[in-house]
Amino acid sequence: KTVLENEAIRAQFPILKREVNGHKLVYLDNAASSQKPKAVLDAIVNYYSFDHSNVHRGVHFLSQLATEKYEAAREKMRGFINAKSTKEVLFTKGTTEGINLVSYGLSRSFLKPGDEILISEMEHHSNIVPWQIAAADAGAKLVVVNVLEDGSLCMDDFRKKLSDKTKLVSIVHVSNALGTINPVKEITQLAHEQGALVLIDGAQAAPHQKVDVQDIDCDFYVISGHKMYGPTGSGILYGKEAILNEMPPYQAGGEMIKNVSFEETTYNELPFKFEAGTPNVEAAIGLSAAVDFMEEIGFEKLTRIEQELVAYAHERLSEVEGIRFIGTAPEKASVVSFIVEGTHPTDIGTIIDKLGIAVRTGHHCTQPLMDKFGLPGTVRASFAVYNTLEEIDLLTDAVKRAVKMLK
Ligand code: PMP
């Protein structure tokens, strides 16, 4: 066993000290939502204790202070994804809202009857359903790229289905159900050669690896803050400035306008055109603190720790009789998904919860993918930078116990 050297990191998470069902909590449901370090909790409490007011409105001291903090958080997020300008960084409440903002905008301005929207079999429901609605609204067609048996994207099928009819490609960067890392730079380049726009769902990538939107060259990139040590209700939509300028607003109201009369309204400049109403200031500030936390560790160390956890989990769980891993693509992030012959994933999850172990069971909001593999769902253990090898030992022992009980 190697040493992960993450004790000091782990110590920053108050919730990891609690007990569940009389056992020490073993939290392995990080792909659903990660826990929060004290620095993020403190940032939120400090904001409300000392700095809170509405933003972008008042001339008074606190309004200006809150605005400064909110806009500093935007600049932090710009740096985090390496966007060119803060005009390209919109605060959202998460990945779902980011995708809906784009699908709504494109269906009203850009998609025409006969156009095709290309997604894949491994998409989360939030990268399927908005496009079904957009396709129905615009008379466009949804086309789906196949996934191979090992859980990687079939690039031959992608090339085959991509054509000059394709107006948008919307693909997940890292699969939440399988852990597969998709070649998003290559996907973007191929799509651009056909003149299509590209959205990348980065919900499961941003917590685990350095994201550089200029390097990928995608047109949109979406993130959820709560999966990367930040608060729920926080997130980012990156969009290229020229495209966001052309796209109609998503929601309408205060903040997103320049001038309003009953006859005519002009919209505010970017990024405010897409941030109607009082924003979730506390979420932006908490997310900014989460980025500080991650950048202090550094992606090199963070990725190394998580890759060791994934490798060790595969090694230890292989001892479980009848286990089958779902998703064994060579490029994999922090997810280990499995089933055990003769058992139901939910039963395993329920039994090991009694031992304090939190995993996710079910279809992971990827029902079409589970249907493809002919499964009701899987058991999914997903790791964050604070997990330990000992926790994987506890998981393995607990799964062995559950399987014994169930068989
Ligand atoms: N896409 C992927 C790949 C996800 O894992 C998730 C969250 N499970 C989402 C989208 C949706 O994110 P949120 O619920 O934070 O909007």
Side-chain angles (χ1 to χ4, degrees):
K1 256 201 268 188
T2 48
V3 180
L4 296 181
E5 288 175 346
N6 61 354
E7 298 81 5
I9 294 172
R10 186 176 173 86
Q12 297 176 44
F13 289 77
I15 203 169
L16 298 178
K17 298 187 181 82
R18 71 160 292 166
E19 289 196 347
V20 167
N21 293 327
H23 296 269
K24 201 174 140 271
L25 167 67
V26 174
Y27 190 78
L28 300 175
D29 193 19
N30 296 286
S33 198
S34 67
Q35 299 299 348
K36 322 301 169 199
K38 188 151 183 311
V40 169
L41 309 178
D42 287 347
I44 295 168
V45 171
N46 283 335
Y47 167 69
Y48 278 127
S49 304
F50 305 110
D51 306 331
H52 171 70
S53 179
N54 209 330
V55 292
H56 300 138
R57 286 183 177 76
V59 291
H60 64 80
F61 176 83
L62 276 184
S63 178
Q64 290 188 20
L65 185 60
T67 303
E68 266 169 39
K69 301 248 166 175
Y70 183 65
E71 291 306 323
R74 195 189 307 275
E75 168 57 24
K76 176 82 62 184
M77 298 317 294
R78 186 205 61 73
F80 181 68
I81 56 169
N82 192 32
K84 262 191 208 138
S85 153
T86 49
K87 290 182 180 170
E88 302 181 315
V89 178
L90 316 182
F91 281 116
T92 64
K93 73 183 169 72
T95 301
T96 303
E97 190 177 51
I99 297 173
N100 276 275
L101 190 156
V102 176
S103 67
Y104 180 81
L106 295 184
S107 70
R108 292 180 67 211
S109 64
F110 176 74
L111 294 168
K112 301 279 177 296
D115 287 350
E116 293 183 356
I117 302 165
L118 197 53
I119 62 170
S120 86
E121 283 182 325
M122 73 171 90
E123 300 312 315
H124 187 277
H125 295 163
S126 66
N127 199 25
I128 302 173
V129 186
W131 301 115
Q132 287 174 328
I133 294 172
D137 284 352
K141 188 176 155 202
L142 198 63
V143 180
V144 184
V145 178
N146 295 339
V147 166
L148 297 171
E149 269 309 301
D150 72 350
S152 50
L153 195 69
C154 180
M155 287 305 287
D156 287 343
D157 196 48
F158 177 75
R159 283 194 193 85
K160 205 169 87 196
K161 286 174 178 160
L162 182 71
S163 76
D164 58 3
K165 282 194 202 149
T166 314
K167 287 289 146 32
L168 179 87
V169 172
S170 192
I171 298 276
V172 71
H173 194 164
V174 173
S175 157
N176 64 308
L178 308 170
T180 311
I181 303 175
N182 286 320
V184 289
K185 196 172 165 177
E186 185 189 350
I187 286 170
T188 302
Q189 199 190 337
L190 291 168
H192 282 169
E193 282 168 14
Q194 294 292 339
L197 295 178
V198 178
L199 182 147
I200 303 296
D201 169 356
Q204 301 291 347
H208 307 296
Q209 64 185 73
K210 176 69 193 159
V211 170
D212 184 332
V213 291
Q214 291 191 68
D215 181 52
I216 299 170
D217 196 33
C218 54
D219 302 287
F220 304 100
Y221 197 95
V222 285
I223 293 178
S224 291
H226 70 96
K227 295 181 195 286
M228 44 175 278
Y229 312 103
T232 50
S234 68
I236 291 294
L237 163 63
Y238 160 79
K240 282 185 182 160
E241 187 176 343
I243 299 168
L244 290 178
N245 270 327
E246 291 300 311
M247 228 166 65
Y250 179 49
Q251 294 191 325
E255 189 101 345
M256 53 77 73
I257 52 85
K258 198 167 263 162
N259 281 300
V260 177
S261 73
F262 288 118
E263 289 72 37
E264 191 188 31
T265 291
T266 51
Y267 302 139
N268 207 340
E269 60 200 32
L270 293 174
F272 312 112
K273 175 178 142 188
F274 290 99
E275 292 184 3
T278 300
N280 195 347
V281 182
E282 139 221 337
I285 285 167
L287 181 55
S288 171
V291 167
D292 284 337
F293 164 79
M294 292 172 80
E295 287 181 345
E296 208 162 291
I297 298 167
F299 272 104
E300 198 187 323
K301 181 168 180 182
L302 192 142
T303 307
R304 176 177 58 74
I305 290 172
E306 293 185 351
Q307 288 295 328
E308 284 190 36
L309 288 164
V310 169
Y312 189 62
H314 273 117
E315 182 189 323
R316 284 301 323 267
L317 286 168
S318 295
E319 295 169 14
V320 177
E321 225 183 278
I323 196 164
R324 193 177 121 212
F325 294 106
I326 310 298
T328 50
E331 295 289 321
K332 256 193 84 158
S334 236
V335 167
V336 175
S337 225
F338 61 91
I339 53 164
V340 182
E341 204 181 284
T343 66
H344 195 283
T346 313
D347 293 335
I348 292 183
T350 308
I351 293 172
I352 70 176
D353 173 60
K354 295 282 174 286
L355 301 167
I357 298 173
V359 292
R360 180 84 186 265
T361 62
H363 55 61
H364 317 298
C365 298
T366 55
Q367 269 180 359
L369 182 68
M370 295 296 128
D371 289 347
K372 179 202 168 67
F373 285 121
L375 299 170
T378 69
V379 182
R380 180 187 71 186
S382 53
F383 308 107
V385 67
Y386 44 68
N387 286 122
T388 65
L389 301 174
E390 290 69 27
E391 288 180 308
I392 290 167
D393 292 336
L394 289 169
L395 168 72
T396 308
D397 293 345
V399 172
K400 284 182 184 169
R401 241 171 104 173
V403 170
K404 212 173 190 176
M405 281 171 72
L406 290 168
K407 274 199 180 165

